[in-house]
Amino acid sequence: MDESAFKVKFNLQNWLKEDIGESDYRRIGNVLDIDANVVEQHALAFEKRVTQQAEILDEGGKYSEAVDRARTSKVIFVGDSITSDRESFAKIIRRVFCQHSLEFIDAGVSGWRTTEFLDDFYFKVLSRNVQAAHVMLGTNGMRASRLPYGKCNVSPSEFEKNMSYILTALGEQGAKNDSLDAAAV
């Protein structure tokens, strides 16, 4: 994968904490210093693969027909690159349920740790008033810093505290989250 495809795939423009839509190829190109047409080509190729994966996953409509529309209208995916990647599970799930009146919100930012996420937690998540949440954070926080004087980016106790806060706040808002026990380190 070339550098421009990598930057587009992982939505690196989101590091700027700006709300740039995934289809705003001109703004993404400006931020990443990539021609807007190249951004669009990469994005469309990733979308095509997501559609193919969704068709395989939901063969025969077994998942898309099982959605409980009466209880859920907004679903948010909270995470890092595993979530924000243009070919991520979140994108595939959104495609599976695209025929339903569900709103899917991608609150994933490549490279973020739980600590950065808390800075924008209200804006990116709580202000959205969701009914269901999928939270998958920790990949970046648990790795050691690349700096010679660095240490683990987020200590296990800080990670646990941050995840507990995130899950509690979502629960208090009324979001369904079946992975409340997953916060244990």
Side-chain angles (χ1 to χ4, degrees), residues 4 12 31 36 49 53 82 102-103 114 126 135 140 163 177:
S4 65
L12 297 181
V31 169
R49 287 194 290 275
Q53 290 297 312
I82 294 168
L102 296 171
E103 179 182 350
T114 57
L126 293 182
V135 180
N140 300 303
M163 287 301 293
N177 188 326

Side-chain angles (χ1 to χ4, degrees), residues 11 20 24 34 47-48 74 121 123 135 151 154 160 176:
N11 293 308
I20 299 175
D24 193 341
I34 302 171
E47 183 64 27
K48 181 178 179 181
K74 283 188 190 179
F121 188 58
F123 170 72
V135 180
K151 58 180 183 174
V154 178
E160 185 175 16
K176 293 183 289 187

Side-chain angles (χ1 to χ4, degrees), residues 15-148:
W15 279 355
L16 298 175
K17 297 185 179 182
E18 289 188 33
D19 194 16
I20 299 175
E22 287 186 22
S23 299
D24 193 341
Y25 307 128
R26 183 190 57 76
R27 284 185 69 203
I28 292 170
N30 286 340
V31 169
L32 300 177
D33 196 26
I34 302 171
D35 181 82
N37 293 322
V38 172
V39 171
E40 182 176 15
Q41 288 172 355
H42 289 313
L44 294 175
F46 295 138
E47 183 64 27
K48 181 178 179 181
R49 287 194 290 275
V50 163
T51 299
Q52 292 167 342
Q53 290 297 312
E55 288 169 357
I56 292 168
L57 176 65
D58 198 34
E59 187 176 351
K62 61 186 171 189
Y63 294 113
S64 60
E65 293 306 316
V67 69
D68 183 353
R69 291 176 213 65
R71 296 188 47 156
T72 304
S73 62
K74 283 188 190 179
V75 179
I76 195 161
F77 292 93
V78 178
D80 49 30
S81 60
I82 294 168
T83 302
S84 88
D85 170 357
R86 285 183 183 262
E87 294 180 284
S88 74
F89 70 93
K91 305 296 188 286
I92 294 168
I93 291 169
R94 179 174 29 182
R95 176 61 62 199
V96 166
F97 294 106
C98 69
Q99 299 300 317
H100 301 284
S101 59
L102 296 171
E103 179 182 350
F104 288 95
I105 302 165
D106 179 355
V109 180
S110 295
W112 271 18
R113 303 166 294 172
T114 57
T115 49
E116 282 102 8
F117 209 87
L118 290 179
D119 289 342
D120 279 356
F121 188 58
Y122 179 80
F123 170 72
K124 285 189 109 22
V125 180
L126 293 182
S127 67
R128 302 297 187 92
N129 297 313
V130 299
Q131 289 79 44
H134 183 283
V135 180
M136 195 150 102
L137 286 166
T139 306
N140 300 303
M142 291 297 136
R143 74 168 187 253
S145 170
R146 291 183 279 263
L147 302 173

